[in-house]
Amino acid sequence: MVDTTPLTQAVDHFADRLRAAPQSRLQRGAAAEALALARELALRAQRIEDPAREPREMPDAGMFAAADQVLVAAHDLAVVLTSEDEVAEAVRVVEEARQRAGV
């Protein structure tokens, strides 16, 4: 089993920052960036779990749910990752999204 702690820590930090962000920051793009990240992480998990199946897109549950959507998608991905390199790549994607979100 691969250690997904770095991914969990990165996602927890991002989600905490999103929850602490003012509504104006969420509206200016932080929530949209979080949703895009959640969708990307969910897509990666689905491709690993069942590459033959058409991936489903995570719905937009609203800006106040964005942090939770990132956490759920990251948890789903962490369960299926098989290497330290995959974990490192996922952490990189999360950190880049956090920077783009400005939180």
Side-chain angles (χ1 to χ4, degrees):
M1 177 160 280
V2 66
D3 180 15
T4 58
T5 303
L7 175 57
T8 302
Q9 290 173 340
V11 169
D12 285 348
H13 179 69
F14 187 25
D16 288 346
R17 299 292 302 259
L18 285 168
R19 287 186 181 116
Q23 183 174 347
S24 60
R25 168 129 334 140
L26 295 174
Q27 289 171 325
R28 285 194 310 264
E33 188 62 48
L35 176 60
L37 172 62
R39 287 177 171 167
E40 174 63 25
L41 297 176
L43 178 66
R44 288 174 184 233
Q46 291 176 64
R47 285 185 176 150
I48 292 169
E49 281 184 312
D50 192 355
R53 184 174 183 187
E54 183 68 28
R56 297 165 312 280
E57 183 176 75
M58 181 175 282
D60 183 346
M63 72 177 146
F64 297 114
D68 293 329
Q69 288 184 287
V70 168
L71 286 170
V72 168
H75 179 281
D76 289 349
L77 180 60
V79 170
V80 298
L81 293 177
T82 60
S83 74
E84 298 295 326
D85 289 341
E86 289 176 336
V87 173
E89 172 63 13
V91 170
R92 183 189 64 75
V93 169
V94 170
E95 287 301 324
E96 288 175 357
R98 185 187 59 74
Q99 289 173 358
R100 286 191 302 271
V103 295

